[in-house]
Amino acid sequence: MSTLAHGRYPRGVIALHWLTLLLLVAVYATMELRGLFPRGSAERAAMKTAHYFLGISVFALTWLRLALRIAGRTPPILPEPPLWQLLLARAVALALYGLMLAMPVLGYLLLNAEGTAPAIGGLQLPLLIGAQPGLAETLEAWHEGIATAGYWLVGLHALAAIYHHHVRHDDTLLRMSLRG
């Protein structure tokens, strides 16, 4: 019997979901914790490099997740929630996918507008645009603003799962559980 018949996502989709969460935590942690190290230090540079690598990893993983989502089916929530909750869930999911695709692009363009491109694992990535200080400031503001919104989106997503599990007593959380 298929995983969908049991009301769960396939194991690979579940694994990618939780791997994405771990990568996002690491992406945020590298930027939040970089301030522990002095400007110009090797440790701070390592945090930035890790941030770039993790961001690109989230970008690639998100495309894979989208392909699997398009190719597969979403198991129904039982009992079915009201239409407004389904629509809100779709909006938050769309916003999260948008965040995971837009943030690495904005970050990459920001570096380019500052006149640099990251080197990851010895591979120097290309400059797509030249140095443009005014554009760099704008891109940085967008990147930071969307990052802040990301905290709220991830929090809303987690709270909704908890609400569905503990208040509505439906199988929303169980469909993406690592157990089972």
Side-chain angles (χ1 to χ4, degrees), residues 44-84:
R44 189 174 179 116
M47 294 291 267
K48 286 183 175 183
T49 300
H51 181 76
Y52 307 149
F53 177 76
L54 292 163
I56 290 170
S57 298
V58 168
F59 183 75
L61 195 62
T62 301
W63 283 110
L64 176 59
R65 289 186 62 192
L66 281 170
L68 290 173
R69 185 170 181 135
I70 290 167
R73 275 194 30 234
T74 300
I77 299 170
L78 299 175
E80 186 174 337
L83 179 61
W84 70 268

Side-chain angles (χ1 to χ4, degrees), residues 129-155:
I129 59 174
Q132 300 178 40
L135 178 59
E137 286 180 24
T138 300
L139 291 171
E140 184 174 16
W142 289 356
H143 192 70
E144 289 177 2
I146 294 170
T148 299
Y151 282 116
W152 291 98
L153 284 171
V154 171

Side-chain angles (χ1 to χ4, degrees), residues 83-98:
L83 179 61
W84 70 268
Q85 287 181 8
L86 293 172
L87 294 175
L88 183 59
R90 286 187 188 130
V92 170
L94 182 63
L96 283 167
Y97 279 114

Side-chain angles (χ1 to χ4, degrees), residues 104-105 108-109 111-113 115-118 125-132 135:
V105 171
Y108 190 79
L109 291 175
L111 289 173
N112 282 197
T116 62
L125 299 176
L127 278 172
L128 300 178
I129 59 174
Q132 300 178 40
L135 178 59

